Amino acid sequence: MEVLERAGELPGILDRLRAGGHRVGFVPTMGALHDGHASLIERAAEECDHVSVCVYVNPLQFGPGEDYATYPRDLAADLVVAEKAGADLVVAPEVEEMAPAEACTVVRVTELGEILEGRARPGHLDGVATVVTKLLCLAGRCRAYFGEKDFQQLVVVRRLVADLSLPVEVVGCPTVRAVDGVALSSRNAALSGEEREAAPVLYRALRAGAASIVAGERDPAEVVELIGAVVEAEPLVELDYAAVVDPETLASPETLAGALRLLVAARVGGTRLVDNLGVRG
Ligand code: AMP
């Protein structure tokens, strides 16, 4: 497996591979790789001839007071996970290359970037969109793999690829969970033992919401209230928001029918966790 420090080397390497007929897969991550990331790399390795993984903790997507400084970083461990999952190349660029001080261009996501996570974390999705656009431009024609775990991010990335005509096929991959239902996340490492025991309430709340829809509930407000009530019954967890949305537009439906996505965000101690679940009304 090849390891690069400069993302600027990607186009030359990947262009040569494409010229040789190779299908290129690309998996952008912020490192601290776990089985969720590995599932993206494995899927890419199944579907492509070459898989590049990016490990880059993107400062643009952290707000003031968020956990940029303390976000877990362990490139040596990441290389082991990436190689085992089938990566051919890992690029771990520096902030100086990805976001140089003189940079003055950003990608701004309008409506889709201002709701849900965008409202809770102003500028977050613009930060994601700016770095993902740059990385996808460097990767060039490829299939790019993103997790449903960060559902709004996946929708935003699909939208930006379409809006900016990038030659990229976005592949959404299912959320990998621990046995107790907690979605794997690099941030789970920041939970205390007690907080980790409380964390499954997010998935439990989503499942309760989905079950009520399957049982015939058609009022989104009732489902949102139910999800909130389940989360708030857990004293260590503070609800940020619960929502039921259209999975393509993230719009709030008037009545619950067809494909839907339930979303939840909550604070568990000092750690903010998000989760989501698909259901049909
Ligand atoms: P991150 O390193 O958290 O920015 O995540 C990098 C990519 O891995 C994103 O596309 C995430 O949605 C995806 N991802 C993170 N956690 C999981 C998980 N538990 N299951 C599937 N994909 C995940």
Side-chain angles (χ1 to χ4, degrees):
M1 188 179 70
E2 192 170 1
V3 181
L4 300 179
E5 281 175 19
R6 286 194 47 81
E9 289 180 51
L10 273 181
I13 293 171
L14 299 183
D15 280 348
R16 271 195 297 282
L17 286 163
R18 278 184 287 259
H22 292 259
R23 293 165 300 178
V24 169
F26 186 56
V27 185
T29 79
M30 295 210 301
L33 300 185
H34 50 61
D35 286 351
H37 300 112
S39 75
L40 271 52
I41 300 168
E42 283 160 9
R43 170 98 177 257
E46 276 165 27
E47 299 179 352
C48 307
D49 304 305
H50 170 97
V51 180
S52 283
V53 175
C54 181
V55 171
Y56 175 63
V57 184
N58 169 30
L60 301 180
Q61 72 187 68
F62 290 79
E66 290 188 356
D67 54 350
Y68 175 66
T70 56
Y71 197 84
R73 291 163 171 88
D74 186 348
L75 183 59
D78 290 343
L79 296 180
V80 174
V81 176
E83 181 154 38
K84 184 156 171 265
D88 300 289
L89 181 156
V90 171
V91 58
E94 301 285 345
V95 174
E96 289 68 28
E97 180 189 11
M98 294 301 292
E102 69 276 14
C104 60
T105 306
V106 297
V107 175
R108 189 165 75 80
V109 186
T110 54
E111 288 83 357
L112 267 185
E114 289 160 1
I115 55 173
L116 303 164
E117 284 302 283
R119 192 152 81 174
R121 305 177 67 191
H124 166 68
L125 286 154
D126 293 349
V128 170
T130 300
V131 83
V132 167
T133 301
K134 179 156 176 155
L135 287 171
L136 294 181
C137 286
L138 288 160
R141 185 171 296 281
C142 67
R143 286 172 75 110
Y145 295 80
F146 291 84
E148 289 180 350
K149 152 79 172 43
D150 301 285
F151 196 77
Q152 186 174 7
Q153 169 176 289
L154 172 61
V155 173
V156 162
V157 169
R158 285 193 197 285
R159 191 68 261 159
L160 84 80
V161 162
D163 291 348
L164 303 177
S165 304
L166 302 181
V168 173
E169 188 183 334
V170 176
V171 182
C173 303
T175 301
V176 177
R177 300 179 179 280
V179 283
D180 61 3
V182 172
L184 299 190
S185 164
S186 309
R187 290 197 165 96
N188 292 347
L191 300 172
S192 71
E194 245 190 331
E195 289 164 355
R196 178 62 187 77
E197 275 176 31
V201 75
L202 271 71
Y203 188 50
R204 254 195 343 264
L206 292 169
R207 290 224 318 260
S212 77
I213 295 171
V214 170
E217 181 59 72
R218 290 292 168 264
D219 181 354
E222 292 290 330
V223 177
V224 167
E225 200 176 313
L226 173 63
I227 297 172
V230 175
V231 170
E232 283 179 336
E234 175 55 69
L236 290 180
V237 183
E238 192 190 329
L239 181 73
D240 188 347
Y241 64 78
V244 187
V245 299
D246 177 299
E248 275 166 30
T249 62
L250 301 184
S252 302
E254 305 253 305
T255 178
L256 301 176
L260 299 162
R261 203 83 193 180
L262 312 186
L263 308 174
V264 68
R267 255 174 212 293
V268 188
T271 307
R272 191 166 178 283
L273 299 181
V274 293
D275 201 353
N276 66 85
L277 186 63
V279 62
R280 285 196 73 83

